[in-house]
Amino acid sequence: MRRFSALLAVLLSAALLVSASGLATPEKLQQLEASGKVSPQTQACLACHMKVTPGIVMDWLNSDHATHTPPQVQEIYDAIQAGPQPIAEKFKNYPYVVGCYECHGMFKEQDRVDVVNHFGFKIVSIVTLKDCSQCHPKEAKEISWTWHGFGALNTNLSPWYKKIVAYAKEHGETEEMLPPVFTKLHKDLITWDWYKEYAKALFNYLNGKPVDEKWLNYIKTFGTVYDYDFKRIISPLYPASGGLATKVGERVGYEPEIGAMCGVGKWKFQTKIKNIMEHPMYKNAYTYHACYECHGTLVVPYKMETTVIKGFPVTRMVYWGWPSNGAGRVDPDGSIGTCTACHPRHSFSVAQAREPWTCGQCHIGYDHPHIEIYEESKHGNIFDANKEKWNMEALPWKLGTDFNAPTCATCHMSTIASPDGKTILVKGTHDLRARLVWDQMHFFGYPKADYPDNVQLAVMMGVKVLTGENIEKAVSGDFKVIPGPKAGELAFPRVATIQFSGELAKKRAAMEQVCELCHSTQWTKNFFMTADQNIIDYDIVAHYAFNLLKKAWAEGIHDPSNKLDEFMEVMWYYIWHHQGRRWRNGAFMMGPDFAHWFGIVDTVMEALNKMISYYEMAKNVKQLQAEVQQLKQQIQTLAK
Amino acid sequence: MRRFSALLAVLLSAALLVSASGLATPEKLQQLEASGKVSPQTQACLACHMKVTPGIVMDWLNSDHATHTPPQVQEIYDAIQAGPQPIAEKFKNYPYVVGCYECHGMFKEQDRVDVVNHFGFKIVSIVTLKDCSQCHPKEAKEISWTWHGFGALNTNLSPWYKKIVAYAKEHGETEEMLPPVFTKLHKDLITWDWYKEYAKALFNYLNGKPVDEKWLNYIKTFGTVYDYDFKRIISPLYPASGGLATKVGERVGYEPEIGAMCGVGKWKFQTKIKNIMEHPMYKNAYTYHACYECHGTLVVPYKMETTVIKGFPVTRMVYWGWPSNGAGRVDPDGSIGTCTACHPRHSFSVAQAREPWTCGQCHIGYDHPHIEIYEESKHGNIFDANKEKWNMEALPWKLGTDFNAPTCATCHMSTIASPDGKTILVKGTHDLRARLVWDQMHFFGYPKADYPDNVQLAVMMGVKVLTGENIEKAVSGDFKVIPGPKAGELAFPRVATIQFSGELAKKRAAMEQVCELCHSTQWTKNFFMTADQNIIDYDIVAHYAFNLLKKAWAEGIHDPSNKLDEFMEVMWYYIWHHQGRRWRNGAFMMGPDFAHWFGIVDTVMEALNKMISYYEMAKNVKQLQAEVQQLKQQIQTLAK
Amino acid sequence: MRRFSALLAVLLSAALLVSASGLATPEKLQQLEASGKVSPQTQACLACHMKVTPGIVMDWLNSDHATHTPPQVQEIYDAIQAGPQPIAEKFKNYPYVVGCYECHGMFKEQDRVDVVNHFGFKIVSIVTLKDCSQCHPKEAKEISWTWHGFGALNTNLSPWYKKIVAYAKEHGETEEMLPPVFTKLHKDLITWDWYKEYAKALFNYLNGKPVDEKWLNYIKTFGTVYDYDFKRIISPLYPASGGLATKVGERVGYEPEIGAMCGVGKWKFQTKIKNIMEHPMYKNAYTYHACYECHGTLVVPYKMETTVIKGFPVTRMVYWGWPSNGAGRVDPDGSIGTCTACHPRHSFSVAQAREPWTCGQCHIGYDHPHIEIYEESKHGNIFDANKEKWNMEALPWKLGTDFNAPTCATCHMSTIASPDGKTILVKGTHDLRARLVWDQMHFFGYPKADYPDNVQLAVMMGVKVLTGENIEKAVSGDFKVIPGPKAGELAFPRVATIQFSGELAKKRAAMEQVCELCHSTQWTKNFFMTADQNIIDYDIVAHYAFNLLKKAWAEGIHDPSNKLDEFMEVMWYYIWHHQGRRWRNGAFMMGPDFAHWFGIVDTVMEALNKMISYYEMAKNVKQLQAEVQQLKQQIQTLAK
């Protein structure tokens, strides 16, 4: 579509509104402004920003926002047959296209702390989920109830957030302090308004302004998440932390004196340490470029300043935790979740979000190689060979006509229309759990929990971290296992069959509906039947390995007080967190190398074999030590 | 071409037969049916399936099958100058395009067991190599003689198949029970008709129908491949099996009680086990989503049923081992090999098969990272930067005009024409061994064996699994090594030169012919000269490592009765199966990181260093145990 | 652009000069020759080579060289506003396009040894940096001063080159024997004319011609780099060498008898060896397909021969070290560096060089996963989703109009113009160090050294390999570390701030200028602030690990005489060479999985944890050995 219209523009029109290759040109901006469709405020922004940050302006110029007014969003909802959706009052008859001012100046929460006066306009730098929800209410609501929205609170912010949860429960302030996860059910956008107030109070406190006692108490109790927890907590959420705070060093008498940047001798801070985490200059700064980039930060506005930027005196809010476009970012207006994580920056593109690598920016690597599995899968092969013929922007997305294999979005989210676009065959959602039956992330064989997620429930309900005890409480729906025939017995099917009921049954059916657009019902049923057995198989392997680790702890071969700094502990971590996931993810998404080599083979050959070999060697050495000790005593006795 | 015709269609015609982006639209189907080119039977299929599985129909609509009649296949053979090829009698003057009925209803073997009555039509779900061979005889024959055709029998089905081979040899039924690999030489399509009869007998047996005594004997002797071998055999074919059936656990007294899915408490099967494989609920179900997805299954039709699907009562055959599009699938009609593995589903596309990632769906990962090597190579770089300008569908494929760097297919398979298309410069083949000199897959330095492969020979001739003894019997052609100068001696070339004769010489020449389309003869010769020395180098390293393992076995440091569950055993597996392959594959296909870091460095630094370090530690501990034992005795003696 | 012109050509012209898909057709060649723009010499080449190597000719036909004369190169320099650049006198008014003869026949150094008579023309096979510099002086000069130019001398050729350096320093021949790195500063193309003379002398020596005594001395002292160093030197430059020459084997009494290719029994060289490197047939031939493919070879012309190739008697120079397109190749004319590494073969394409995977052909894998990080990054995601709309060939490259996200080249090299192309916003360079502050490659936390690189300085100034002592001498500019608040203290920013001055400040500013085309100054500043802290964090971790290894060496747990063959040595290598790089590279280039899982987690959990676990076990065993020894003596005493 895009290619064709680019060409037509070239052939039929003298004005080069788009470059021959397909991106917008500056001429498009001129014409757009001339047309009267750009608000005066946005025109003021553009006048300057085309010079100081031209990349941003051009990105926007390529977007649908540049050519559509807020009320036109209903065209999208009509296309996907989602019915009328309520947009914010102020945008209902708004005549201008969605430009700089419409997002940065017409933000939702007027009392958020980080509003600045920018050359006469009251604006915010950070456009939040709440702001986007003014025109995109359906998507904002759906995403806010799922793992992606809670991606920071449940993971990198979790130790800090756990304190808040504990406090709120102790003081009966659950309702007030926490997002309304348990009291509301998919009825509204989930936000965390407590944080909006906290951000205000913190800003005032840091800038010497008066702060209400209640909030002063909160500030003293919780501080901010940055740095201080990371230096104290050993947790699977910070998997390097076990080794950084290792107890083995101390046990073997290793206490080196270490500076910082002493490699160059430019700056030193020589100090004797028992482990790395103790070093005063060590800051765990990887979190900003690792955890936060996917999971999101907690944005802290901490100072207002006026500074000269590219020749202009600019007043701006100075933030900590910024930049971050992580999916679960918590914003100063209490928003949870980040639209720009997938619809990036100023292009706000649906095509970008349907691109597999958009998911791949986080779903990659040892512990969630979803993009690698997709690339290996036949689905990915077909995409690779055909994507030039696809229409990635079509709304609705027409099966066969616009695409001939699924990307990540297709199976997990997309509205799918019939080839002629007239019928919606599959209803779309931004709730990523809607088509998933299994939690393939944690420890053992678990079904997928309800909103927002297991880990949220772990926080709220006290699920035991290493065993997952009580985790079934988090699941709506049930399942029954019908064992297959015994080994050698001649009967089919040769694996167990799992029967789901309740929510779990709905989730499985939702995914099957997608599969069956191209595959037979038998194909689909058999595929899931053998895939499900992998959950059982994994569960058995995981218990075998974890029980061995517990034995090693019990026998003093390893010390459980730091659970991530000894050999068998690391192997167990690999099994549940890396390799066991790859095995199951690979099985369910048609990545045979991930099910096999990176999956079960790494689980068993690489991790379990080494774990058990280590155990044997360590046990032998321990026994030798005991025997030598005994011999010493016997000799002493003899010598007397 | 595709892009151009898409555009022209848009510009010149009112009917939108293809979408602007390039895929077919439902209008194309209407026009096609109106044209009278679609058989009445296929029209009947389409009427329903456009509603129940629109994805399949649209895929077919995008294919060349939708617009070509069977006799037109000769146009392909003319384009690649392959001469006249015999198509099946019934298709010789067939007037309709190749639609649903032509493949699913006009199948080759009328007496296969899995034929069903589908709303009045006798059809099969699974279209096999035999079926495709009716119009594509050259390709079907070529592929059937090579590794790809035997991809399942030689690997995941091998333990089961070995029994059959042994039985057939013992009972003088070689001719009857085995595919005619050794008695015919490229004269015909290789199939396994014994299996067609076996599938029939098994179906009858399972459904309580009478079965001939001979077949009853076979059924009792062999059963089916599923589940039962996987639970008993430790084999490099199931690399996880060593650890799953580990003997170390028992040795250290580890016998845990483990349930299945006890993580959620939904279902338990608590039992005490010595190793994982013993657990009654453990099913090795990864095989279905790992081994089988690339290698293929053995398809077992086991039940006929009528069930309501999407509102219609449908009679269907229920299969085990389905779905699978693995390259070496064995079908109920005795077919070996699967065209759809590379020309997937209903698009049957040559462009798809020429796409590197089509090969990459199996040739990926630790042990055969061919797609990763290609991506790293300059060939891959050029493809990436230029593929939009390529014509992936052209027949013949014109050097320079249609493509300006090779994909996997180009070097290993493709017919390559001169830039003007008039001359065939390189003759194409579906026999993937035709241009390969070395077997870089097994244990040590071997030349590439004749049809179908080393491993087939291992099955037939008793090649020893861990040493490769006798493997030279499987090779036609010979080679001679002329050593290079000694270290320090000033002479060139500085490596050994290997001179090939017979079939090996032909294979090397076939590949050089491709290289020399773009590279000088010196470039090509030197490249292979240094690459060949890597085979020698690897061979030395592999023997050094394997001999060390044999020493560890001999000294009781490891127990050879389970060859894949102890540390040094795993390291040796990595050397021959993973890292030593990467080293040589990387060298031969221009992936320097794979030759080096993932290759020799992992072989030596990661595996061999660790192997020898472990050996030293284990030896020290063993000696300490002996010394302590001696001391105990001495003290006992002294104490007396 | 390309796509559009391809289409226009199709629509408006009968002559199919380009194929519909976009590549050139043979008709283009005919028309080009008819136009009189091709020199008679080049026409002679084409007449034959269109038949013998059509791939090369077609590649050239697709290039800009095929349609541009040498003086037109100034159009490029005008487009990027680089001012007038001096091209070679002979090309100043040259009327023909740049064809075969212009590069292979009009080479720069008339007296190079590898000139051959090719059917009446004096030509060279290898076109060198010096040759390209005749028309592209700016780029040739810039690249020659950077790491890429010295990519072979500093790494794979380093042991050989170090000897030359030592000799030159001892004999006061620095000026004469070495490239003028220290005496000239960016004033001219860096070459190594000593090698040109050496290559001549060596050729004469090998072919029995008279050689001057001075050069005979050099030949006897240095020989050539090939094979002989690789068999003797254990160095991090050949990381496999530690294990290949391991001392552990000897220590445990392992001295196997090993042949070569004994797996097939075709050829044997049975011999008893203490380690692999000792084996006379072992040649380290991986170097040709690993090191050299990225870093480049030293090309040795060693024989002139006349041989029949494809029916013609051809006189050619036979080279060792050829083929190689590694970035730092040293050529027989004294050139250092290889343009074709990134502008490959005969297409000489700027679009290809801007393609991320062009960098990725070397910047990939364990120790420099830059392409993987790019693919994961949001920049890479946007490229993936939009590249069809980009103009990869535009000069200048216009922000927003031609591209809407950076590729590798954009940030590190490219000239970037405003959206309308009128203003150059960022000046381009082929000096890859110009925008980089940190050396993230070596041991500890170092700033980026001046030309050509740390390692060159290591060669010249005696920097200690494992500690980096004196490395700061190689850096222009300084930095100051301002520590952040302590853990728990409520203040922002929460990490150290590093202030740069001198050249380092300029480098940081140069990169920030690129970022700020699309990102705010706060975004940019904060991003680098947290990224910089990762350098400090890494430095602390690296010292903790390295000090532990030194302790193990001191206590006899490991033997430092071979630094790469024991467990903890390998772990330390992984930390500084693989995982510590990934951590920092991932942090600076927005690859969160590389900063985290492949980075700090692998550094700490995988390498450091295992290192310290091994240390504990080894220490326990060592102590047991001592205790048992003591017990033996006590018993002996008692027994007396």
Side-chain angles (χ1 to χ4, degrees), chain B residues 1 3-4 8 375-376 378 381-382 384-386 388-391 399-404 419-420 425 438 444-447 471-472 477-479 481 483-488 490 492-496 516-519 521-523 526-527 529-531 533-537 539-541 543-544 547-548 551 582-583 587 590-593 595-598 600-602 604-606 608-610 612-613 615-617 619-621 624 627-628 631 634-635 638, chain C residues 2-3 10 19-26 50 52-56 58-59 62 202 205-206 219 224 226-228 232 239-240 243-244 246 248-249 251-252 254 256 258-264 266-267 274 276 279 281-286 288-290 293-294 300 302 309-310 316-320 322-323 325 341 344-345 352 355 357 361-362 364-368 388 564-565 567 570-571 573-574 577-578 614 617 621 624-625 628 631-632 635 639:
Chain B
M1 191 55 132
R3 203 172 299 144
F4 172 54
L8 227 57
E375 286 197 321
E376 185 186 12
K378 188 50 99 183
N381 302 160
I382 298 173
D384 258 347
N386 291 276
E388 291 186 9
K389 293 193 269 187
W390 289 22
N391 184 344
L399 176 65
T401 306
D402 293 326
F403 64 97
N404 67 335
D420 61 8
L425 302 176
W438 297 112
F444 303 110
Y446 302 138
I471 216 149
E472 70 270 33
D478 204 349
F479 63 87
V481 180
K486 289 185 190 137
L490 196 51
F492 296 87
R494 300 218 45 84
V495 295
E516 289 173 7
L517 296 171
C518 295
H519 297 283
T521 50
Q522 184 182 172
W523 178 297
N526 281 4
F527 182 86
M529 190 197 299
T530 47
Q533 172 73 48
N534 280 275
I535 303 288
I536 300 174
D537 287 357
D539 190 68
I540 295 169
V541 172
H543 277 96
Y544 186 85
N547 288 346
L548 183 63
K551 191 168 155 68
R582 299 196 298 243
W583 167 5
M590 277 175 299
D593 264 75
H596 193 227
W597 296 109
F598 300 103
I600 187 171
V601 177
D602 273 353
V604 172
M605 191 190 270
E606 175 67 16
L608 183 59
N609 274 350
K610 284 188 179 171
I612 204 165
S613 276
Y615 176 80
E616 190 179 26
M617 180 89 81
K619 198 172 168 169
N620 285 341
V621 169
L624 278 168
E627 286 174 355
V628 165
L631 288 174
Q634 288 173 346
I635 287 174
L638 279 175
Chain C
R2 178 190 333 147
R3 201 170 301 142
V10 168
S19 74
S21 44
L23 294 176
T25 61
M50 188 61 175
V52 294
T53 53
I56 294 176
M58 292 305 291
D59 214 23
N62 275 302
L202 185 62
Y205 174 79
L206 290 168
I219 288 167
T224 76
Y226 293 102
D227 159 304
Y228 111 60
R232 298 192 191 156
L244 291 169
T246 184
V248 183
R251 208 156 65 208
V252 298
Y254 180 52
I258 290 175
M261 306 292 283
C262 49
V264 285
K266 297 270 173 184
W267 193 87
K274 289 208 169 67
I276 292 159
H279 197 289
M281 282 303 288
Y282 185 83
K283 291 286 181 188
N284 257 351
Y286 76 92
Y288 298 92
H289 297 265
E293 278 189 15
C294 287
V300 182
Y302 70 93
I309 300 175
K310 299 185 184 177
R316 67 180 180 189
M317 178 58 70
V318 184
Y319 296 102
W320 198 241
W322 183 253
N325 286 332
R345 302 276 296 159
Q352 177 78 56
E355 178 77 21
W357 269 98
Q361 80 180 36
C362 296
I364 190 177
Y366 291 141
D367 53 337
H368 32 45
E388 289 185 11
L564 273 169
D565 70 331
F567 191 88
V570 170
M571 292 300 116
Y573 189 85
Y574 287 160
H577 192 277
H578 284 24
Y614 182 95
M617 180 89 81
V621 170
L624 277 169
Q625 287 173 324
V628 165
L631 289 175
K632 276 187 191 171
I635 288 175

Side-chain angles (χ1 to χ4, degrees), chain A residues 251-309:
Chain A
R251 207 156 67 209
V252 298
Y254 180 52
E255 204 173 339
E257 187 161 318
I258 289 175
M261 305 291 283
C262 50
V264 286
K266 296 271 174 184
W267 192 86
K268 286 172 189 285
F269 196 106
Q270 211 70 19
T271 181
K272 218 162 186 174
I273 54 172
K274 287 207 170 70
N275 60 55
I276 292 158
M277 204 80 101
E278 266 192 353
H279 197 289
M281 284 302 288
Y282 185 83
K283 292 285 181 190
N284 257 351
Y286 76 92
T287 50
Y288 298 92
H289 297 266
C291 324
Y292 295 148
E293 278 190 14
C294 287
H295 290 273
T297 53
L298 185 109
V299 181
V300 181
Y302 70 93
K303 193 173 66 175
M304 185 92 79
E305 70 175 17
T306 300
T307 184
V308 174
I309 300 175

Side-chain angles (χ1 to χ4, degrees), chain C residues 145-147 150 154 181-182 185-186 431 433-434 436-437 439 447-458 461 471-478 501-504 507:
Chain C
W145 277 90
T146 187
W147 168 266
F150 277 77
N154 280 341
V181 172
F182 294 99
L185 291 182
H186 267 220
D431 181 346
R433 300 155 310 147
L436 292 174
V437 157
D439 173 347
K448 195 84 185 163
D450 298 335
Y451 18 66
D453 201 85
N454 287 343
V455 182
Q456 173 65 6
L457 275 145
M461 299 170 75
I471 216 152
E472 71 268 35
K473 291 185 192 155
V475 182
S476 296
D478 204 350
S501 52
E503 284 299 317
L504 293 176
K507 287 170 175 183

Side-chain angles (χ1 to χ4, degrees), chain A residues 275-511:
Chain A
N275 60 55
I276 292 158
M277 204 80 101
E278 266 192 353
H279 197 289
M281 284 302 288
Y282 185 83
K283 292 285 181 190
N284 257 351
Y286 76 92
T287 50
Y288 298 92
H289 297 266
C291 324
Y292 295 148
E293 278 190 14
C294 287
H295 290 273
T297 53
L298 185 109
V299 181
V300 181
Y302 70 93
K303 193 173 66 175
M304 185 92 79
E305 70 175 17
T306 300
T307 184
V308 174
I309 300 175
K310 299 185 184 177
F312 300 94
V314 178
T315 298
R316 66 178 180 190
M317 177 59 71
V318 184
Y319 297 101
W320 197 241
W322 182 253
S324 167
N325 287 332
R329 198 182 68 213
V330 180
D331 279 324
D333 68 349
S335 285
I336 295 173
T338 316
C339 307
T340 196
C342 304
H343 302 277
R345 301 276 295 157
H346 296 87
S347 70
F348 320 104
S349 159
V350 67
Q352 178 77 57
R354 286 169 172 171
E355 177 78 22
W357 269 99
T358 291
C359 306
Q361 79 180 36
C362 296
H363 292 259
I364 190 176
Y366 291 140
D367 53 338
H368 32 45
H370 303 132
I371 184 66
E372 293 94 333
I373 292 170
Y374 178 76
E375 286 197 320
E376 185 186 12
S377 76
K378 188 49 99 185
H379 293 156
N381 303 160
I382 298 173
F383 170 71
D384 257 347
N386 292 277
K387 60 186 164 182
E388 290 186 11
K389 293 194 269 188
W390 289 22
N391 183 346
M392 293 292 275
E393 283 167 1
L395 279 172
W397 215 13
K398 299 182 289 300
L399 177 65
T401 306
D402 293 326
F403 63 96
N404 66 336
T407 68
C408 314
T410 321
C411 295
H412 292 280
M413 305 182 78
S414 295
T415 299
I416 304 173
S418 59
D420 61 8
K422 290 175 190 160
T423 316
I424 298 301
L425 302 175
V426 176
K427 286 209 159 199
T429 177
H430 274 61
D431 181 346
L432 274 303
R433 299 155 309 147
R435 303 175 189 168
L436 291 174
V437 157
W438 296 112
D439 171 348
Q440 298 180 15
M441 209 188 307
H442 298 105
F443 318 119
F444 304 110
Y446 302 138
K448 196 84 185 163
D450 298 335
Y451 21 66
D453 201 272
N454 286 343
V455 181
Q456 174 65 7
L457 275 147
V459 169
M460 301 300 287
M461 300 170 75
V463 175
K464 290 193 187 165
V465 172
L466 283 176
T467 63
E469 207 174 286
N470 290 329
I471 215 150
E472 71 269 35
K473 292 186 194 155
V475 182
S476 297
D478 203 350
F479 64 88
K480 225 167 73 177
V481 180
I482 300 159
K486 288 186 191 138
E489 188 185 325
L490 197 50
F492 297 88
R494 301 219 43 86
V495 295
T497 308
I498 302 187
Q499 289 178 342
F500 302 99
S501 52
E503 284 299 315
L504 293 177
K506 279 187 207 161
K507 287 171 177 184
R508 172 56 58 87
M511 184 61 90

Side-chain angles (χ1 to χ4, degrees), chain B residues 302 453 538 595:
Chain B
Y302 70 93
D453 202 270
Y538 166 74

Side-chain angles (χ1 to χ4, degrees), chain B residues 67-201:
Chain B
T67 51
H68 290 79
T69 62
Q72 283 183 282
V73 73
Q74 188 56 43
E75 292 171 14
I76 297 175
Y77 291 125
D78 291 344
I80 62 168
Q81 301 183 14
Q85 296 284 336
I87 74 170
E89 200 58 43
K90 63 186 162 203
F91 286 123
K92 274 192 179 149
N93 297 298
Y94 196 79
Y96 299 117
V97 300
V98 184
C100 318
Y101 184 75
E102 285 66 26
C103 296
H104 290 276
M106 297 176 75
F107 45 91
K108 191 171 180 200
E109 303 285 315
Q110 293 306 307
D111 65 338
R112 58 193 273 194
V113 68
D114 57 336
V115 180
V116 294
N117 185 318
H118 187 68
F119 300 99
F121 297 104
K122 266 182 59 185
I123 64 133
V124 290
S125 292
I126 301 176
V127 178
T128 72
L129 188 82
K130 277 190 184 173
D131 299 330
C132 299
S133 78
Q134 297 182 105
C135 295
H136 302 279
K138 178 179 186 292
E139 295 77 8
K141 193 183 104 181
E142 286 166 354
I143 200 75
S144 80
W145 277 90
T146 187
W147 169 265
H148 283 87
F150 277 76
L153 288 182
N154 279 340
T155 53
N156 42 305
L157 306 187
S158 168
W160 181 74
Y161 184 49
K162 269 185 180 165
K163 281 194 194 172
I164 294 168
V165 172
Y167 184 97
K169 283 164 79 178
E170 261 172 45
H171 295 72
E173 297 181 13
T174 319
E175 194 85 8
E176 186 193 359
M177 289 180 74
L178 303 180
V181 172
F182 294 100
T183 49
K184 292 184 178 185
L185 290 181
H186 268 219
K187 284 181 196 142
D188 204 358
L189 185 68
I190 286 292
T191 60
W192 193 24
D193 289 316
W194 180 87
Y195 182 64
K196 186 171 73 175
E197 300 309 318
Y198 184 77
K200 271 189 230 170

